[in-house]
mmCIF file of all heavy atoms in Angstrom:
data_model
loop_
_atom_site.group_PDB
_atom_site.id
_atom_site.type_symbol
_atom_site.label_atom_id
_atom_site.label_comp_id
_atom_site.label_asym_id
_atom_site.label_seq_id
_atom_site.Cartn_x
_atom_site.Cartn_y
_atom_site.Cartn_z
ATOM 1 N N VAL A 290 185.710 108.927 -0.520
ATOM 2 C CA VAL A 290 185.280 107.987 0.513
ATOM 3 C C VAL A 290 184.082 108.556 1.266
ATOM 4 O O VAL A 290 183.039 107.924 1.483
ATOM 5 C CB VAL A 290 186.403 107.583 1.378
ATOM 6 C CG1 VAL A 290 185.894 106.877 2.619
ATOM 7 C CG2 VAL A 290 187.371 106.686 0.651
ATOM 8 N N GLU A 291 184.260 109.793 1.790
ATOM 9 C CA GLU A 291 183.234 110.371 2.722
ATOM 10 C C GLU A 291 181.926 110.649 1.970
ATOM 11 O O GLU A 291 180.812 110.433 2.562
ATOM 12 C CB GLU A 291 183.824 111.695 3.330
ATOM 13 C CG GLU A 291 184.930 111.379 4.279
ATOM 14 C CD GLU A 291 185.483 112.626 4.944
ATOM 15 O OE1 GLU A 291 184.997 113.724 4.616
ATOM 16 O OE2 GLU A 291 186.372 112.466 5.836
ATOM 17 N N GLU A 292 181.970 111.045 0.707
ATOM 18 C CA GLU A 292 180.762 111.255 0.008
ATOM 19 C C GLU A 292 180.008 110.007 -0.412
ATOM 20 O O GLU A 292 178.805 109.966 -0.346
ATOM 21 C CB GLU A 292 181.026 112.145 -1.284
ATOM 22 C CG GLU A 292 181.432 113.549 -0.971
ATOM 23 C CD GLU A 292 180.493 114.292 -0.040
ATOM 24 O OE1 GLU A 292 179.283 114.159 -0.142
ATOM 25 O OE2 GLU A 292 181.026 114.940 0.983
ATOM 26 N N LEU A 293 180.822 108.949 -0.750
ATOM 27 C CA LEU A 293 180.149 107.652 -1.016
ATOM 28 C C LEU A 293 179.518 107.151 0.248
ATOM 29 O O LEU A 293 178.392 106.603 0.205
ATOM 30 C CB LEU A 293 181.241 106.721 -1.464
ATOM 31 C CG LEU A 293 181.663 106.832 -2.960
ATOM 32 C CD1 LEU A 293 182.837 105.944 -3.298
ATOM 33 C CD2 LEU A 293 180.474 106.419 -3.917
ATOM 34 N N ILE A 294 180.155 107.269 1.385
ATOM 35 C CA ILE A 294 179.578 106.741 2.612
ATOM 36 C C ILE A 294 178.368 107.538 3.110
ATOM 37 O O ILE A 294 177.335 107.035 3.344
ATOM 38 C CB ILE A 294 180.691 106.715 3.798
ATOM 39 C CG1 ILE A 294 181.793 105.678 3.462
ATOM 40 C CG2 ILE A 294 180.014 106.484 5.133
ATOM 41 C CD1 ILE A 294 182.929 105.678 4.437
ATOM 42 N N PHE A 295 178.618 108.888 3.260
ATOM 43 C CA PHE A 295 177.603 109.718 3.995
ATOM 44 C C PHE A 295 176.458 110.212 3.083
ATOM 45 O O PHE A 295 175.292 110.250 3.521
ATOM 46 C CB PHE A 295 178.237 110.914 4.637
ATOM 47 C CG PHE A 295 179.051 110.463 5.825
ATOM 48 C CD1 PHE A 295 180.451 110.293 5.739
ATOM 49 C CD2 PHE A 295 178.544 110.120 7.072
ATOM 50 C CE1 PHE A 295 181.269 109.847 6.774
ATOM 51 C CE2 PHE A 295 179.336 109.680 8.107
ATOM 52 C CZ PHE A 295 180.670 109.551 8.016
ATOM 53 N N ARG A 296 176.773 110.642 1.850
ATOM 54 C CA ARG A 296 175.702 111.129 0.994
ATOM 55 C C ARG A 296 175.223 109.959 0.107
ATOM 56 O O ARG A 296 174.015 109.799 -0.147
ATOM 57 C CB ARG A 296 176.129 112.296 0.191
ATOM 58 C CG ARG A 296 175.720 113.662 0.790
ATOM 59 C CD ARG A 296 176.199 113.962 2.176
ATOM 60 N NE ARG A 296 177.681 114.077 2.181
ATOM 61 C CZ ARG A 296 178.383 114.461 3.254
ATOM 62 N NH1 ARG A 296 177.728 114.543 4.472
ATOM 63 N NH2 ARG A 296 179.712 114.536 3.242
ATOM 64 N N GLY A 297 176.229 109.236 -0.473
ATOM 65 C CA GLY A 297 175.782 108.257 -1.493
ATOM 66 C C GLY A 297 175.089 107.007 -1.004
ATOM 67 O O GLY A 297 174.273 106.461 -1.538
ATOM 68 N N LEU A 298 175.403 106.674 0.289
ATOM 69 C CA LEU A 298 174.767 105.506 0.933
ATOM 70 C C LEU A 298 173.951 105.876 2.148
ATOM 71 O O LEU A 298 172.755 105.557 2.156
ATOM 72 C CB LEU A 298 175.955 104.502 1.298
ATOM 73 C CG LEU A 298 176.639 103.850 0.132
ATOM 74 C CD1 LEU A 298 177.831 103.072 0.618
ATOM 75 C CD2 LEU A 298 175.660 102.986 -0.741
ATOM 76 N N MET A 299 174.558 106.428 3.189
ATOM 77 C CA MET A 299 173.744 106.739 4.403
ATOM 78 C C MET A 299 172.564 107.662 4.160
ATOM 79 O O MET A 299 171.452 107.201 4.476
ATOM 80 C CB MET A 299 174.733 107.357 5.399
ATOM 81 C CG MET A 299 173.953 107.596 6.783
ATOM 82 S SD MET A 299 175.043 108.410 7.981
ATOM 83 C CE MET A 299 176.215 107.128 8.329
ATOM 84 N N TYR A 300 172.755 108.751 3.533
ATOM 85 C CA TYR A 300 171.701 109.675 3.295
ATOM 86 C C TYR A 300 170.545 109.037 2.472
ATOM 87 O O TYR A 300 169.424 109.160 2.841
ATOM 88 C CB TYR A 300 172.190 110.967 2.650
ATOM 89 C CG TYR A 300 171.044 111.799 2.128
ATOM 90 C CD1 TYR A 300 170.215 112.515 2.971
ATOM 91 C CD2 TYR A 300 170.852 112.007 0.753
ATOM 92 C CE1 TYR A 300 169.154 113.376 2.561
ATOM 93 C CE2 TYR A 300 169.819 112.821 0.245
ATOM 94 C CZ TYR A 300 169.038 113.430 1.131
ATOM 95 O OH TYR A 300 168.012 114.222 0.672
ATOM 96 N N ILE A 301 170.957 108.505 1.366
ATOM 97 C CA ILE A 301 169.951 107.905 0.389
ATOM 98 C C ILE A 301 169.206 106.782 1.103
ATOM 99 O O ILE A 301 167.941 106.677 0.912
ATOM 100 C CB ILE A 301 170.628 107.435 -0.879
ATOM 101 C CG1 ILE A 301 171.143 108.559 -1.689
ATOM 102 C CG2 ILE A 301 169.691 106.582 -1.671
ATOM 103 C CD1 ILE A 301 170.001 109.575 -2.185
ATOM 104 N N ARG A 302 169.866 105.958 1.780
ATOM 105 C CA ARG A 302 169.165 104.849 2.483
ATOM 106 C C ARG A 302 168.248 105.264 3.565
ATOM 107 O O ARG A 302 167.206 104.697 3.746
ATOM 108 C CB ARG A 302 170.227 103.746 2.906
ATOM 109 C CG ARG A 302 170.917 103.043 1.763
ATOM 110 C CD ARG A 302 171.975 102.087 2.193
ATOM 111 N NE ARG A 302 172.415 101.291 1.022
ATOM 112 C CZ ARG A 302 173.306 100.306 1.135
ATOM 113 N NH1 ARG A 302 173.975 100.055 2.333
ATOM 114 N NH2 ARG A 302 173.733 99.631 0.049
ATOM 115 N N LEU A 303 168.661 106.238 4.325
ATOM 116 C CA LEU A 303 167.812 106.826 5.402
ATOM 117 C C LEU A 303 166.620 107.561 4.797
ATOM 118 O O LEU A 303 165.551 107.486 5.302
ATOM 119 C CB LEU A 303 168.651 107.755 6.274
ATOM 120 C CG LEU A 303 169.697 107.139 7.208
ATOM 121 C CD1 LEU A 303 170.465 108.228 7.897
ATOM 122 C CD2 LEU A 303 168.920 106.216 8.195
ATOM 123 N N LYS A 304 166.915 108.203 3.638
ATOM 124 C CA LYS A 304 165.793 108.961 2.935
ATOM 125 C C LYS A 304 164.709 107.961 2.519
ATOM 126 O O LYS A 304 163.450 108.351 2.573
ATOM 127 C CB LYS A 304 166.371 109.691 1.794
ATOM 128 C CG LYS A 304 165.336 110.536 1.024
ATOM 129 C CD LYS A 304 166.019 111.237 -0.164
ATOM 130 C CE LYS A 304 165.005 111.960 -0.992
ATOM 131 N NZ LYS A 304 165.536 112.637 -2.224
ATOM 132 N N ARG A 305 165.043 106.821 2.113
ATOM 133 C CA ARG A 305 164.001 105.837 1.654
ATOM 134 C C ARG A 305 163.163 105.373 2.810
ATOM 135 O O ARG A 305 161.934 105.006 2.649
ATOM 136 C CB ARG A 305 164.709 104.655 1.057
ATOM 137 C CG ARG A 305 165.457 104.862 -0.243
ATOM 138 C CD ARG A 305 166.039 103.566 -0.741
ATOM 139 N NE ARG A 305 167.049 103.794 -1.736
ATOM 140 C CZ ARG A 305 168.230 103.159 -1.858
ATOM 141 N NH1 ARG A 305 168.517 102.212 -1.033
ATOM 142 N NH2 ARG A 305 169.055 103.524 -2.866
ATOM 143 N N MET A 306 163.676 105.509 4.043
ATOM 144 C CA MET A 306 162.857 105.088 5.203
ATOM 145 C C MET A 306 162.183 106.203 5.943
ATOM 146 O O MET A 306 161.037 106.128 6.309
ATOM 147 C CB MET A 306 163.747 104.380 6.251
ATOM 148 C CG MET A 306 164.294 102.991 5.758
ATOM 149 S SD MET A 306 165.383 102.223 7.053
ATOM 150 C CE MET A 306 166.912 103.082 6.842
ATOM 151 N N PHE A 307 162.842 107.405 6.053
ATOM 152 C CA PHE A 307 162.383 108.460 6.906
ATOM 153 C C PHE A 307 162.019 109.717 6.143
ATOM 154 O O PHE A 307 161.490 110.643 6.743
ATOM 155 C CB PHE A 307 163.375 108.767 7.977
ATOM 156 C CG PHE A 307 163.734 107.549 8.781
ATOM 157 C CD1 PHE A 307 164.917 106.932 8.694
ATOM 158 C CD2 PHE A 307 162.760 107.129 9.817
ATOM 159 C CE1 PHE A 307 165.264 105.844 9.538
ATOM 160 C CE2 PHE A 307 163.128 106.088 10.598
ATOM 161 C CZ PHE A 307 164.308 105.429 10.480
ATOM 162 N N GLY A 308 162.383 109.826 4.877
ATOM 163 C CA GLY A 308 162.207 111.106 4.091
ATOM 164 C C GLY A 308 163.472 111.952 4.213
ATOM 165 O O GLY A 308 164.336 111.740 5.027
ATOM 166 N N GLY A 309 163.479 112.963 3.383
ATOM 167 C CA GLY A 309 164.726 113.776 3.181
ATOM 168 C C GLY A 309 165.154 114.616 4.511
ATOM 169 O O GLY A 309 166.282 114.674 4.760
ATOM 170 N N ALA A 310 164.158 115.214 5.115
ATOM 171 C CA ALA A 310 164.483 116.028 6.294
ATOM 172 C C ALA A 310 165.157 115.243 7.385
ATOM 173 O O ALA A 310 166.248 115.699 7.887
ATOM 174 C CB ALA A 310 163.225 116.715 6.802
ATOM 175 N N VAL A 311 164.638 114.149 7.715
ATOM 176 C CA VAL A 311 165.200 113.293 8.816
ATOM 177 C C VAL A 311 166.511 112.779 8.373
ATOM 178 O O VAL A 311 167.481 112.749 9.173
ATOM 179 C CB VAL A 311 164.255 112.176 9.223
ATOM 180 C CG1 VAL A 311 164.913 111.254 10.170
ATOM 181 C CG2 VAL A 311 162.973 112.784 9.834
ATOM 182 N N ALA A 312 166.567 112.263 7.167
ATOM 183 C CA ALA A 312 167.815 111.704 6.601
ATOM 184 C C ALA A 312 168.928 112.715 6.581
ATOM 185 O O ALA A 312 170.109 112.439 6.987
ATOM 186 C CB ALA A 312 167.649 111.113 5.230
ATOM 187 N N ALA A 313 168.670 113.956 6.233
ATOM 188 C CA ALA A 313 169.680 114.918 6.168
ATOM 189 C C ALA A 313 170.155 115.354 7.572
ATOM 190 O O ALA A 313 171.349 115.527 7.825
ATOM 191 C CB ALA A 313 169.072 116.252 5.511
ATOM 192 N N LEU A 314 169.248 115.410 8.510
ATOM 193 C CA LEU A 314 169.630 115.805 9.910
ATOM 194 C C LEU A 314 170.492 114.655 10.512
ATOM 195 O O LEU A 314 171.533 114.979 11.095
ATOM 196 C CB LEU A 314 168.342 115.922 10.764
ATOM 197 C CG LEU A 314 168.560 116.194 12.291
ATOM 198 C CD1 LEU A 314 169.355 117.453 12.498
ATOM 199 C CD2 LEU A 314 167.237 116.168 13.025
ATOM 200 N N VAL A 315 170.107 113.366 10.376
ATOM 201 C CA VAL A 315 170.852 112.265 10.929
ATOM 202 C C VAL A 315 172.256 112.224 10.267
ATOM 203 O O VAL A 315 173.225 112.024 10.951
ATOM 204 C CB VAL A 315 170.071 110.959 10.802
ATOM 205 C CG1 VAL A 315 170.918 109.773 11.275
ATOM 206 C CG2 VAL A 315 168.791 111.022 11.633
ATOM 207 N N THR A 316 172.262 112.295 8.970
ATOM 208 C CA THR A 316 173.524 112.194 8.285
ATOM 209 C C THR A 316 174.483 113.364 8.654
ATOM 210 O O THR A 316 175.605 113.120 8.881
ATOM 211 C CB THR A 316 173.266 112.318 6.677
ATOM 212 O OG1 THR A 316 172.476 111.270 6.291
ATOM 213 C CG2 THR A 316 174.599 112.254 5.911
ATOM 214 N N GLY A 317 173.926 114.544 8.881
ATOM 215 C CA GLY A 317 174.744 115.768 9.290
ATOM 216 C C GLY A 317 175.302 115.441 10.684
ATOM 217 O O GLY A 317 176.469 115.728 10.981
ATOM 218 N N LEU A 318 174.451 114.918 11.604
ATOM 219 C CA LEU A 318 174.927 114.668 12.963
ATOM 220 C C LEU A 318 175.990 113.613 13.020
ATOM 221 O O LEU A 318 177.028 113.785 13.645
ATOM 222 C CB LEU A 318 173.701 114.229 13.828
ATOM 223 C CG LEU A 318 172.744 115.364 14.159
ATOM 224 C CD1 LEU A 318 171.516 114.709 14.858
ATOM 225 C CD2 LEU A 318 173.328 116.382 15.045
ATOM 226 N N ILE A 319 175.789 112.559 12.217
ATOM 227 C CA ILE A 319 176.742 111.397 12.198
ATOM 228 C C ILE A 319 178.051 111.918 11.555
ATOM 229 O O ILE A 319 179.196 111.544 12.046
ATOM 230 C CB ILE A 319 176.193 110.213 11.437
ATOM 231 C CG1 ILE A 319 175.001 109.631 12.168
ATOM 232 C CG2 ILE A 319 177.297 109.039 11.333
ATOM 233 C CD1 ILE A 319 175.185 109.202 13.526
ATOM 234 N N PHE A 320 177.952 112.730 10.474
ATOM 235 C CA PHE A 320 179.141 113.237 9.780
ATOM 236 C C PHE A 320 179.930 114.192 10.737
ATOM 237 O O PHE A 320 181.145 114.176 10.744
ATOM 238 C CB PHE A 320 178.674 113.976 8.562
ATOM 239 C CG PHE A 320 179.892 114.341 7.632
ATOM 240 C CD1 PHE A 320 180.670 113.439 7.159
ATOM 241 C CD2 PHE A 320 179.992 115.637 7.207
ATOM 242 C CE1 PHE A 320 181.813 113.685 6.346
ATOM 243 C CE2 PHE A 320 181.022 115.985 6.341
ATOM 244 C CZ PHE A 320 181.890 114.975 5.896
ATOM 245 N N GLY A 321 179.212 114.942 11.616
ATOM 246 C CA GLY A 321 179.869 115.778 12.551
ATOM 247 C C GLY A 321 180.583 115.011 13.595
ATOM 248 O O GLY A 321 181.774 115.279 13.921
ATOM 249 N N ILE A 322 179.892 114.019 14.184
ATOM 250 C CA ILE A 322 180.519 113.125 15.192
ATOM 251 C C ILE A 322 181.695 112.404 14.719
ATOM 252 O O ILE A 322 182.700 112.225 15.338
ATOM 253 C CB ILE A 322 179.496 112.115 15.792
ATOM 254 C CG1 ILE A 322 178.328 112.926 16.500
ATOM 255 C CG2 ILE A 322 180.011 111.067 16.685
ATOM 256 C CD1 ILE A 322 177.152 112.159 16.875
ATOM 257 N N TYR A 323 181.607 111.964 13.376
ATOM 258 C CA TYR A 323 182.705 111.215 12.807
ATOM 259 C C TYR A 323 183.977 111.897 12.791
ATOM 260 O O TYR A 323 185.091 111.328 12.826
ATOM 261 C CB TYR A 323 182.244 110.887 11.331
ATOM 262 C CG TYR A 323 183.311 110.553 10.330
ATOM 263 C CD1 TYR A 323 183.791 109.328 10.203
ATOM 264 C CD2 TYR A 323 183.750 111.572 9.464
ATOM 265 C CE1 TYR A 323 184.734 109.004 9.269
ATOM 266 C CE2 TYR A 323 184.752 111.296 8.530
ATOM 267 C CZ TYR A 323 185.181 109.944 8.401
ATOM 268 O OH TYR A 323 186.185 109.708 7.477
ATOM 269 N N HIS A 324 184.004 113.256 12.764
ATOM 270 C CA HIS A 324 185.259 113.999 12.801
ATOM 271 C C HIS A 324 185.845 114.184 14.141
ATOM 272 O O HIS A 324 186.981 114.610 14.232
ATOM 273 C CB HIS A 324 184.968 115.419 12.146
ATOM 274 C CG HIS A 324 184.812 115.378 10.684
ATOM 275 N ND1 HIS A 324 183.641 115.022 10.019
ATOM 276 C CD2 HIS A 324 185.695 115.557 9.631
ATOM 277 C CE1 HIS A 324 183.793 115.046 8.756
ATOM 278 N NE2 HIS A 324 185.124 115.363 8.464
ATOM 279 N N MET A 325 185.083 113.877 15.165
ATOM 280 C CA MET A 325 185.676 113.650 16.551
ATOM 281 C C MET A 325 186.335 114.834 17.179
ATOM 282 O O MET A 325 187.260 114.691 17.954
ATOM 283 C CB MET A 325 186.629 112.417 16.511
ATOM 284 C CG MET A 325 185.997 111.148 16.236
ATOM 285 S SD MET A 325 187.002 109.678 16.430
ATOM 286 C CE MET A 325 188.072 109.891 14.995
ATOM 287 N N ASN A 326 185.957 116.068 16.778
ATOM 288 C CA ASN A 326 186.277 117.261 17.560
ATOM 289 C C ASN A 326 185.157 118.281 17.301
ATOM 290 O O ASN A 326 184.590 118.289 16.323
ATOM 291 C CB ASN A 326 187.673 117.728 17.206
ATOM 292 C CG ASN A 326 187.787 118.264 15.877
ATOM 293 O OD1 ASN A 326 187.487 119.433 15.605
ATOM 294 N ND2 ASN A 326 188.336 117.507 14.939
ATOM 295 N N ILE A 327 185.049 119.221 18.261
ATOM 296 C CA ILE A 327 183.919 120.130 18.277
ATOM 297 C C ILE A 327 183.960 121.069 17.054
ATOM 298 O O ILE A 327 182.973 121.264 16.327
ATOM 299 C CB ILE A 327 183.823 120.881 19.560
ATOM 300 C CG1 ILE A 327 183.626 119.954 20.742
ATOM 301 C CG2 ILE A 327 182.704 121.868 19.482
ATOM 302 C CD1 ILE A 327 183.672 120.627 22.134
ATOM 303 N N SER A 328 185.091 121.748 16.853
ATOM 304 C CA SER A 328 185.160 122.694 15.777
ATOM 305 C C SER A 328 184.882 122.092 14.431
ATOM 306 O O SER A 328 184.150 122.570 13.579
ATOM 307 C CB SER A 328 186.601 123.380 15.752
ATOM 308 O OG SER A 328 186.802 124.168 16.959
ATOM 309 N N GLN A 329 185.619 120.991 14.222
ATOM 310 C CA GLN A 329 185.439 120.255 12.882
ATOM 311 C C GLN A 329 184.004 119.737 12.747
ATOM 312 O O GLN A 329 183.458 119.691 11.704
ATOM 313 C CB GLN A 329 186.516 119.198 12.814
ATOM 314 C CG GLN A 329 186.765 118.709 11.315
ATOM 315 C CD GLN A 329 187.888 117.677 11.344
ATOM 316 O OE1 GLN A 329 188.169 117.124 12.403
ATOM 317 N NE2 GLN A 329 188.372 117.501 10.170
ATOM 318 N N GLY A 330 183.539 119.246 13.969
ATOM 319 C CA GLY A 330 182.106 118.645 13.892
ATOM 320 C C GLY A 330 181.047 119.686 13.475
ATOM 321 O O GLY A 330 180.156 119.363 12.773
ATOM 322 N N ILE A 331 181.251 120.930 14.056
ATOM 323 C CA ILE A 331 180.225 121.965 13.723
ATOM 324 C C ILE A 331 180.280 122.218 12.163
ATOM 325 O O ILE A 331 179.229 122.297 11.478
ATOM 326 C CB ILE A 331 180.527 123.210 14.473
ATOM 327 C CG1 ILE A 331 180.273 122.998 15.943
ATOM 328 C CG2 ILE A 331 179.580 124.365 13.983
ATOM 329 C CD1 ILE A 331 180.760 124.139 16.863
#
């Protein structure tokens, strides 16, 4: 589920608009926030 959502859809769709660097950064930040605690988020 998480790979389909974050890498398979979010990252790829953001990459089409902003390029790989921005897409990777945003996806990583959202994936960290998604886990809802600091240790796990890092």
Side-chain angles (χ1 to χ4, degrees):
V290 166
E291 291 182 357
E292 292 311 313
L293 282 170
I294 290 174
F295 290 99
R296 262 60 68 176
L298 294 171
M299 181 181 292
Y300 168 71
I301 290 298
R302 290 177 172 183
L303 288 174
K304 182 182 176 183
R305 292 180 198 143
M306 291 182 280
F307 302 105
V311 173
L314 176 61
V315 173
T316 301
L318 288 172
I319 299 298
F320 191 53
I322 294 170
Y323 159 84
H324 285 83
M325 294 186 290
N326 67 80
I327 298 174
S328 293
Q329 201 177 16
I331 294 171

